[in-house]
Amino acid sequence: MQSFYQGIYETKVPLEFNAILQIGCVCKVDKTAKKRNVQDGWSLSELHMKTTTECSYLEQSISFFYLYHSISEGRAIYIGYFPASRTISVLVVNPYQNKDLSPSFLEKQFREACQAVSVEPPPPSNGVIVKVDYVGYVKDAEKILQRAINEHKHEHHGPTIAVIECPNAQSMKLGIRALDDFPCVNIPSNARDSHYQVLGWQQVAAKIGMQRCAASSLWLNERISLSRYAHVPVGNFELDWLIFTADIFFSRALREQQQLLWISDDGVPDLGGINEEDTCFADEVHQPVLTYPGAYRKITVELKIHHLAVNGLLKSNQVNEMEGGALFGYDQEMNSGAHVLNEQGGIDEDTSCAPAFRVLKQLIQRCLADAVTFGNVYADAILQHLYRWLCSPQSKLHDPALHRILHKVMVKVFALLLAEFRKLGATIVFANFSKVIIDTGKFDLSAAKAYCDSLLKTIQTRDLFEWIELEPQNFWHSLLFMDQYNYGGIPAKADDIIHEESEVDIVSSWNIAEYLPKKIQDHFVFIVSQFMYIPWSYARKQAAIRTSLPDGNSCTPSVTVTAAESFESHMTEYLKGQISSYFTDKLLGIVRDTILHMKGMNRTENDQHISSGLPQVTDKIHKGDAALEFIKHVCAVLALDQNVQHDVLVMRKNLLKYVHVREFAPEAEFHDPCPSFILPNVICSYCNDCRDLDLCRDSALLAQEWRCAVPQCGQPYDGEIMQNALLQIVRQRERLYHLQDLVCLRCQQVKAAHLAEQCACAGSFRCKEDLSEFRSKMQVFLNIAIHQKFQLLQECTSWILELR
């Protein structure tokens, strides 16, 4: 038993990282250390960390110069900004020799950029000197910058930092050897800077460069402030400073508790060689998504959920008690750090992670105190990005087991939060970890906002949800909701004053419509929009008539229950009448026109006409009768309204009869044409935004625009990282398929005995996951690989599916 725990630990801890952990950014020499020359090295044991409150770190403003670089297809811009000598050297690499930049234009752009970021520009009398040089090759530009840096070095003595912002800092250092004499600090570059337009690229690229120059001093000051807080030398931060700082903090906290570090460079924790294979067979962490399709004719509100991970971590003990100790147990093993063996002789994941989980909780409590008490922006950023850090393989301390335990707690808190919403009278429309949409049950926007405020205040008073912040994002007068990629609605404006009917905006976001021909898509959107607009417009007119009645009965539907019920029944009857008359006539006309239009086309032309212009990641595109597909799609959406579902089905029966299809025939049944796969926790390398990507239904991804969706960012996602993440999921699912349990066909119990051919109830066994189900999931990955040109993923899935 003793040999089970033997292993070699901390073999992958980088030496530089270890030094930062021990001595921070300010240190003192131990008194017992022997005297030596300046050139001689020091042992880490001879240096002791000092806090930045004891000894200041870079308190006086330090001299710096800034280098900016962007490049696109042989064209490039290099900028050297030297604040001490108030000079900016701009080098344009342009093989085509057209010259569009002048020093006066660049100086103007620099001054405007300084004003935009609230930096004091040099006075006009003693202003900045801008030099512009045109060269044909990158090497020539690097030589000129090399000379400029050497001149600056000879003219201005003293400590100086080089701040570099470019796509490849290592390549720039190799090309400009003068940088070897300076400590270099790297700024993450935005890949969008290097996407030049065809014409007028010089002015656009130079303008961006001037903006970066103006902001460089602010960026450096912020980085120095971060260094003081994190106790990390300013030049030793990695590009993703949030993950790096969290790794530093967590490593120091673990060392304080005498715990070993499981740091590794491949996202798999280094556990001393023990049970490494077990991590390969862990199941995926699935984000909970609750969808309640329907037509919500009253005010609905979308609430953004903030800090769910932080709240789950800080309230984990309460959740554990509610679960009867199922998460960590009530024994003292959690505190002692001893391992508990499970029935198979392995280490129980929850119990083995409990000590590290406790350290993480204490660390986040300290960050919370820093953010709340002292208003520290870096502590607040770590709190906001806690879940991103835990689930990111780029983290040195990434541990899937730790992530799964926090995820369990988050799921429990999330379920209790939704239960609290329902208890307070709200109807859930849609919910996931990042947002929840609720039906307020109010017709009036002001009443809905008041109800929403009251709801949020009440939830905030609950101790279990103390740190969760719910932010109202959008209000909807009417919402027709199928799922998060198929919905339409009438958004409520801030003042809720609509003078003319033409001012009404109707949002239509229907992924299923993309599988119809372009012309029919327009008909689909029109009919669905009318289905939302007509009842809402009628309700507004009825409310206006009621308020103008001379008998003084100015009650709105939200005042009394009786008035509300009678109003709703009246509305339902009106909509039923519209379906049997207006909508039936419209749809019959569209179906008739579609049949006539398609009649003269042969099968091949028909198939080509059916598929839409948007590239699809599915092999289930309906290539049959366009009129039939239109009927199925429209009626599936209109039938979301439960109040008029019977009338919609009657209309559907008549429409199907028109195209000679029986009501209950298999071909008349609607299926979502796009099987979905969501890649969770995709992180932008520039702005650190974290989101889940639907690789089959996101229109931007289908058009191969793999970019961050934050408007001011637009950084392209790294395709290699995406492909690797998908490969891991595919391999994991394949392993789990081969290692799956057998289930009894009769009693549905999992097979426990290894050699039994039949269950104790005499039933036969079957695989838990059917082969056809597994193959259909793999086919989705193959379609994604083919469409996105992921060659490794395509080879892997083709081999699994035995394709030749």
Side-chain angles (χ1 to χ4, degrees):
M1 183 63 70
Q2 184 64 33
S3 63
F4 186 86
Y5 296 105
Q6 291 177 354
I8 304 172
Y9 298 90
E10 298 195 1
T11 58
K12 299 181 181 178
V13 181
L15 297 177
E16 182 185 292
F17 188 84
N18 194 40
I20 294 169
L21 289 182
Q22 290 192 41
I23 63 175
C25 58
V26 180
C27 64
K28 70 171 184 178
V29 180
D30 190 272
K31 292 179 181 177
T32 60
K34 296 178 181 178
K35 292 182 180 179
R36 68 197 74 189
N37 295 327
V38 179
Q39 292 81 9
D40 294 340
W42 295 84
S43 169
L44 277 179
S45 59
E46 296 175 319
L47 304 172
H48 299 298
M49 180 192 288
K50 301 288 284 182
T51 64
T52 49
T53 51
E54 295 174 296
C55 303
S56 62
Y57 178 70
L58 299 180
E59 285 293 344
Q60 298 173 346
S61 60
I62 190 165
S63 177
F64 79 98
F65 64 88
Y66 170 78
L67 298 182
Y68 171 82
H69 169 47
S70 64
I71 184 167
S72 175
E73 299 173 351
R75 302 168 297 169
I77 285 223
Y78 284 82
I79 299 176
Y81 172 41
F82 303 93
S85 55
R86 293 192 298 278
T87 58
I88 298 178
S89 180
V90 179
L91 302 161
V92 183
V93 180
N94 183 20
Y96 312 108
Q97 294 302 313
N98 55 314
K99 301 180 179 181
D100 297 341
L101 298 180
S102 65
S104 58
F105 169 79
L106 293 171
E107 185 177 359
K108 180 188 174 188
Q109 293 298 328
F110 179 73
R111 290 189 178 279
E112 289 177 357
C114 286
Q115 290 170 0
V117 295
S118 302
V119 172
E120 188 67 33
S125 58
N126 194 14
V128 66
I129 302 166
V130 181
K131 301 175 185 173
V132 183
D133 289 301
Y134 281 82
V135 294
Y137 302 97
V138 166
K139 287 184 178 179
D140 297 332
E142 289 175 342
K143 287 177 183 176
I144 296 173
L145 269 182
Q146 169 102 356
R147 284 200 300 269
I149 292 170
N150 284 328
E151 287 173 10
H152 181 270
K153 179 182 174 182
H154 292 306
E155 291 175 9
H156 300 87
H157 301 287
T160 304
I161 293 176
V163 179
I164 303 171
E165 182 172 0
C166 66
N168 189 337
Q170 198 61 36
S171 173
M172 180 173 269
K173 288 177 185 176
L174 289 173
I176 306 174
R177 302 307 303 186
L179 292 173
D180 294 342
D181 299 331
F182 299 92
C184 297
V185 180
N186 296 327
I187 298 181
S189 70
N190 192 325
R192 196 166 58 172
D193 290 5
S194 294
H195 288 184
Y196 296 164
Q197 57 195 43
V198 178
L199 299 174
W201 66 272
Q202 293 182 23
Q203 293 192 353
V204 175
K207 182 178 179 181
I208 294 171
M210 291 297 108
Q211 291 169 351
R212 303 284 191 256
C213 289
S216 59
S217 59
L218 288 178
W219 187 92
L220 181 60
N221 290 334
E222 286 178 4
R223 182 50 54 93
I224 291 170
S225 299
L226 172 62
S227 292
R228 295 181 192 129
Y229 177 67
H231 296 288
V232 175
V234 71
N236 287 99
F237 280 99
E238 294 181 359
L239 288 179
D240 193 336
W241 69 268
L242 272 162
I243 283 183
F244 183 75
T245 305
D247 280 338
I248 289 284
F249 282 172
F250 194 30
S251 298
R252 286 174 181 160
L254 289 168
R255 286 265 174 96
E256 286 174 11
Q257 299 293 325
Q258 284 79 50
Q259 293 195 38
L260 292 168
L261 305 182
W262 56 87
I263 288 174
S264 80
D265 53 2
D266 57 2
V268 178
D270 177 19
L271 302 175
I274 298 173
N275 281 3
E276 286 187 357
E277 69 279 3
D278 285 0
T279 58
C280 300
F281 304 116
D283 200 0
E284 293 173 50
V285 173
H286 293 287
Q287 312 291 35
V289 177
L290 279 77
T291 305
Y292 299 94
Y296 300 90
R297 305 286 185 186
K298 299 172 186 175
I299 301 286
T300 54
V301 59
E302 179 185 324
L303 302 168
K304 188 168 177 60
I305 303 174
H306 298 283
H307 312 310
L308 180 63
V310 172
N311 188 85
L313 185 63
L314 297 178
K315 302 296 179 183
S316 54
N317 284 349
Q318 288 172 244
V319 175
N320 188 39
E321 289 173 14
M322 290 176 181
E323 294 295 309
L327 288 174
F328 307 116
Y330 281 118
D331 53 349
Q332 293 304 308
E333 253 118 14
M334 172 180 170
N335 296 321
S336 65
H339 294 292
V340 175
L341 298 180
N342 60 19
E343 293 175 2
Q344 285 75 33
I347 297 175
D348 180 69
E349 180 183 271
D350 292 3
T351 311
S352 64
C353 277
F357 191 84
R358 191 181 72 253
V359 173
L360 177 62
K361 182 178 177 180
Q362 292 169 353
L363 168 64
I364 295 304
Q365 283 171 334
R366 288 204 296 268
C367 286
L368 193 66
D370 290 341
V372 174
T373 310
F374 305 108
N376 190 291
V377 292
Y378 307 112
D380 185 56
I382 289 171
L383 293 174
Q384 290 180 26
H385 292 263
L386 167 67
Y387 191 65
R388 175 176 85 82
W389 166 60
L390 273 178
C391 65
S392 172
Q394 272 68 47
S395 164
K396 289 181 172 60
L397 284 166
H398 177 64
D399 185 357
L402 202 60
H403 175 208
R404 280 192 289 272
I405 290 178
L406 180 60
H407 189 269
K408 285 181 189 175
V409 181
M410 289 170 67
V411 169
K412 300 294 182 187
V413 173
F414 178 67
L416 291 167
L417 177 66
L418 297 185
E420 192 68 25
F421 272 120
R422 294 189 180 101
K423 199 186 296 181
L424 294 169
T427 302
I428 306 295
V429 178
F430 173 82
N432 61 16
F433 274 175
S434 60
K435 71 177 180 181
V436 58
I437 302 174
I438 60 170
D439 181 8
T440 62
K442 312 293 181 187
F443 283 101
D444 184 51
L445 182 60
S446 58
K449 286 183 176 178
Y451 168 76
C452 188
D453 291 341
S454 171
L455 185 77
L456 299 188
K457 283 177 184 174
T458 306
I459 287 175
Q460 202 73 52
T461 59
R462 303 286 191 265
D463 183 54
L464 186 63
F465 314 121
E466 181 182 1
W467 301 108
I468 290 178
E469 183 185 340
L470 296 163
E471 178 191 359
Q473 294 265 298
N474 300 308
F475 284 86
W476 303 82
H477 285 298
S478 180
L479 184 66
L480 195 59
F481 193 85
M482 183 178 279
D483 57 50
Q484 60 180 322
Y485 291 97
N486 293 284
Y487 65 90
I490 301 173
K493 296 185 178 178
D495 52 5
D496 196 36
I497 298 172
I498 299 174
H499 301 289
E500 296 179 19
E501 298 297 321
S502 60
E503 293 182 9
V504 178
D505 293 325
I506 299 179
V507 173
S508 289
S509 177
W510 299 98
N511 177 261
I512 58 173
E514 304 290 351
Y515 295 83
L516 295 170
K518 181 66 181 131
K519 186 178 180 183
I520 298 181
Q521 283 181 36
D522 298 336
H523 290 308
F524 174 90
V525 171
F526 173 75
I527 292 293
V528 173
S529 300
Q530 288 294 92
F531 189 67
M532 289 180 285
Y533 172 75
I534 289 173
W536 173 77
S537 177
Y538 180 76
R540 278 174 56 84
K541 289 171 184 173
Q542 290 299 308
I545 291 169
R546 288 182 177 217
T547 54
S548 62
L549 286 175
D551 60 358
N553 181 18
S554 61
C555 71
T556 59
S558 58
V559 173
T560 65
V561 176
T562 310
E565 287 178 353
S566 65
F567 185 78
E568 285 185 56
S569 62
H570 182 63
M571 284 288 305
T572 301
E573 291 303 318
Y574 172 75
L575 185 54
K576 285 181 177 180
Q578 289 292 311
I579 287 170
S580 60
S581 56
Y582 174 80
F583 285 101
T584 303
D585 292 345
K586 278 281 184 188
L587 287 171
L588 279 169
I590 294 167
V591 170
R592 185 175 60 250
D593 292 345
T594 303
I595 292 172
L596 290 171
H597 184 67
M598 296 292 180
K599 217 168 198 178
M601 303 172 70
N602 61 35
R603 178 73 181 178
T604 307
E605 291 172 334
N606 196 3
D607 286 354
Q608 290 172 353
H609 191 76
I610 293 289
S611 58
S612 71
L614 182 68
Q616 305 297 343
V617 188
T618 178
D619 56 355
K620 292 187 178 179
I621 297 175
H622 295 296
K623 297 195 176 199
D625 188 348
L628 175 61
E629 293 305 322
F630 175 71
I631 294 168
K632 286 158 60 177
H633 281 64
V634 167
C635 291
V637 173
L638 300 193
L640 291 172
D641 193 336
Q642 297 290 329
N643 294 326
V644 295
Q645 197 173 63
H646 175 72
D647 302 83
V648 172
L649 292 175
V650 171
M651 179 178 69
R652 174 179 175 271
K653 180 181 177 182
N654 294 329
L655 290 168
L656 288 172
K657 198 179 292 183
Y658 192 85
V659 294
H660 310 294
V661 176
R662 288 179 293 111
E663 183 181 4
F664 298 106
E667 61 268 23
E669 189 177 348
F670 173 77
H671 297 282
D672 190 333
C674 185
S676 172
F677 175 73
I678 294 175
L679 183 63
N681 306 316
V682 177
I683 299 158
C684 173
S685 59
Y686 185 71
C687 71
N688 301 327
D689 175 69
C690 182
R691 66 184 61 222
D692 299 342
L693 296 181
D694 193 318
L695 302 184
C696 301
R697 294 191 289 189
D698 191 309
S699 57
L701 297 182
L702 292 176
Q704 298 188 343
E705 287 290 320
W706 286 65
R707 296 179 182 279
C708 176
V710 176
Q712 60 270 28
C713 178
Q715 171 88 342
Y717 289 124
D718 190 325
E720 190 176 337
I721 293 175
M722 302 291 105
Q723 183 173 204
N724 287 339
L726 290 168
L727 272 170
Q728 291 300 322
I729 292 169
V730 165
R731 288 168 178 161
Q732 199 169 2
R733 287 191 178 185
E734 184 200 12
R735 283 192 292 261
L736 290 172
Y737 174 76
H738 292 306
L739 294 169
Q740 66 179 303
D741 292 320
L742 294 176
V743 180
C744 175
L745 283 168
R746 180 181 288 180
C747 67
Q748 301 299 314
Q749 295 297 310
V750 173
K751 180 181 178 182
H754 290 296
L755 300 176
E757 292 186 6
Q758 285 186 311
C759 181
C761 72
S764 301
F765 290 111
R766 65 169 178 83
C767 289
K768 196 171 183 180
E769 184 181 15
D770 187 58
L771 175 61
S772 60
E773 183 185 349
F774 173 73
R775 286 184 68 88
S776 65
K777 289 179 180 176
M778 287 296 111
Q779 187 66 46
V780 172
F781 286 105
L782 179 62
N783 294 335
I784 292 170
I786 293 170
H787 182 73
Q788 300 294 349
K789 298 180 177 62
F790 289 159
Q791 189 176 350
L792 275 175
L793 182 64
Q794 184 176 343
E795 288 177 6
C796 181
T797 47
S798 298
W799 182 80
I800 292 170
L801 290 166
E802 297 176 347
L803 297 177
R804 297 290 180 264

